[in-house]
């Protein structure tokens, strides 16, 4: 009988712990799971591949920063316009996502990508994009490195 009561108490404690852990996750802020950053990064690349400049701007925090090997821009308007310039110069450009590594601790998705210029030269850039997110799921920064 004691064994049965002890087991019931353990099950009750475990279920309460699981329940409160779930509540803590719900109230942690916008992001709570690794897959959320991965999904947000995937959405960013899908919008980018559609050359949807207003769609990109909607994904950015107002004070977003963009830095790569050529440019440095700040603000949603400037970053969106920098992307629009790329799309005008290379109308067939697209990105193939190879891998997305997520760090929940730093609200970051590190994305290994291939940038296919599709400009007749067959040039493909190997790039790593480090995308940092706000607690609302908006892109705070994109840092791109060629490799």
């Amino acid at each position: 009988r004691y064994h049965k009561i002890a087991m019931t108490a353990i099950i009750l404690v475990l279920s309460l712990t699981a329940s409160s852990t779930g509540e803590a996750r719900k109230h942690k802020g916008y992001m709570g799971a690794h897959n959320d950053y991965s999904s947000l990064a995937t959405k960013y690349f899908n919008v980018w591949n559609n050359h949807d400049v207003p769609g990109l701007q909607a994904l950015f925090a107002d004070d977003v920063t963009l830095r790569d090997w050529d440019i440095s821009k700040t603000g949603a308007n400037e970053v969106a316009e920098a992307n629009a310039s790329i799309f005008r110069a290379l109308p067939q450009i697209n990105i193939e996502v190879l891998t997305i590594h997520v760090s929940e601790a730093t609200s970051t998705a590190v994305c290994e990508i291939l940038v296919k210029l599709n400009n007749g030269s067959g040039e493909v850039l190997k790039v790593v994009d480090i995308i940092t997110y706000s607690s609302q799921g908006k892109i705070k920064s994109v840092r791109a490195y060629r490799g």
Side-chain angles (χ1 to χ4, degrees):
R1 177 170 164 111
Y2 174 78
H3 185 286
K4 207 178 218 183
I5 293 172
M7 284 302 274
T8 303
I10 290 170
I11 290 169
L12 179 61
V13 168
L14 289 175
S15 68
L16 288 173
T17 302
S19 174
S20 67
T21 302
E23 283 301 306
R25 278 193 206 114
K26 285 181 196 172
H27 298 291
K28 187 174 180 181
Y30 177 79
M31 306 308 295
H34 290 264
N35 288 338
D36 289 338
Y37 294 118
S38 181
S39 296
L40 288 172
T42 299
K43 180 177 182 178
Y44 167 73
F45 290 116
N46 287 337
V47 172
W48 201 95
N49 280 336
N50 286 325
H51 298 192
D52 179 359
V53 176
L56 284 173
Q57 190 167 352
L59 298 177
F60 298 146
D62 291 339
D63 59 348
V64 64
T65 59
L66 169 66
R67 188 178 72 218
D68 66 18
W69 53 93
D70 284 330
I71 63 169
S72 180
K73 299 290 181 184
T74 300
N77 290 335
E78 278 194 34
V79 173
E81 181 52 39
N83 283 283
S85 294
I86 293 169
F87 302 148
R88 283 191 297 272
L90 297 162
Q92 300 303 312
I93 192 170
N94 72 1
I95 291 173
E96 177 185 342
V97 179
L98 300 176
T99 308
I100 298 174
H101 308 275
V102 169
S103 171
E104 189 173 336
T106 60
S107 305
T108 303
V110 178
C111 310
E112 297 177 49
I113 62 175
L114 298 177
V115 180
K116 299 178 179 181
L117 303 183
N118 293 321
N119 60 356
S121 71
E123 188 175 1
V124 176
L125 307 178
K126 294 179 181 179
V127 176
V128 173
D129 275 359
I130 301 173
I131 305 172
T132 305
Y133 292 93
S134 71
S135 60
Q136 292 77 34
K138 295 284 191 169
I139 296 173
K140 290 182 7 179
S141 67
V142 178
R143 294 167 302 190
Y145 301 93
R146 285 176 72 168

